[in-house]
Amino acid sequence: MIAQEILFADDFSFMASKEIDRYVTHALCHEGEASFHLAGQLFRMRKGDCIVITHGELVTDMSVSDDFRVTVLYLLGEYALKNMPKNDYDVIGKLTLLRNPVLPLTEHEREVFMEDVNLIKRRYTGTDHHFHDELVGCLTMAFCLDIYDFHARIYENPQISKQGAAILTRFIDMLKSGEYVRHREVSYYASQLFITPKYLSEICKKTSGFSANFWISRFTITGITRLLAEKDLTLKTISDNFNFSSLPYFCRYVQNLLGVTPSEYREGLTSHG
């Protein structure tokens, strides 16, 4: 099935979809509050906040208050990339958003966000324009430039070098593509990037604030917990799918990262279900 390039929503239900890792999430909170973990870190989104999530597969434990109201625009990753402004800010911006995806907007910026989304929605759903795809692509690029502008105001001078940002982005993209299923050694990724493991670790720490092992573990444990939620899969099957040498080693790995065994994690899902 061909994925829809642009999705509009007024809640976060799509965040639980298996397809979320294919989309970039842009959301503006109008009322209430939402909380979630991104790569294991807790974040809160309150009235007036915008969030931009480039790696939806790293989001867990999403919860919202009863009075939560939000406007969400999901852009398919390939579509967003095709209509991204041609400058270097995107690379640096993505990395700071991995550190913190929450952008507190001014009243004017909130108005701009809504104007952009409403215009994209109106022109996207109206297909009678002879240059519909090009038109919507231009509006999407304008929206991205506005997001860049919000981000640049908040992070006036991100302390990230272009070289470091480029290396970390390639590393994260490898993880996003699923390399972590078979490879969880820093040395593997360093060899693919033609740098030393020590240099990759230094770049990761300096650029993102976290080690290379942290990012490998985050993608791995997020993938594992998604499979643990599928009760028809045995622990042995999941362990084999992730290329662990033995089931006991798999169980120790999960417990070290989650603080509970895979079986206990599953029991917790059942009790909260």
Side-chain angles (χ1 to χ4, degrees), residues 114-133:
M114 290 306 301
E115 287 172 359
D116 285 346
V117 172
N118 287 332
L119 184 55
I120 291 172
K121 186 174 185 178
R122 183 160 61 87
R123 303 315 292 264
Y124 182 68
T125 54
T127 58
D128 56 345
H129 197 287
H130 285 87
F131 306 96
H132 173 268
D133 293 349

Side-chain angles (χ1 to χ4, degrees), residues 18-19 45 63 85 95 107 112 149 175 180 184:
K18 292 181 179 179
E19 293 291 302
M45 178 191 196
S63 65
L95 295 182
E107 182 177 354
V112 169
D149 186 53
L175 291 169
Y180 61 88
R184 287 181 288 277

Side-chain angles (χ1 to χ4, degrees), residues 5-47:
E5 293 174 334
I6 304 177
L7 299 173
F8 305 91
D10 56 8
D11 59 38
F12 280 141
S13 58
F14 185 67
M15 293 292 289
S17 167
K18 292 181 179 179
E19 293 291 302
I20 189 59
D21 59 337
R22 301 185 62 188
Y23 287 83
V24 180
T25 303
H26 309 80
L28 176 64
C29 177
H30 303 295
E31 294 290 344
E33 178 179 305
S35 65
F36 58 93
H37 284 87
L38 176 68
Q41 287 189 287
L42 176 64
F43 293 97
R44 297 189 187 282
M45 178 191 196
R46 298 181 175 87
K47 180 178 180 179

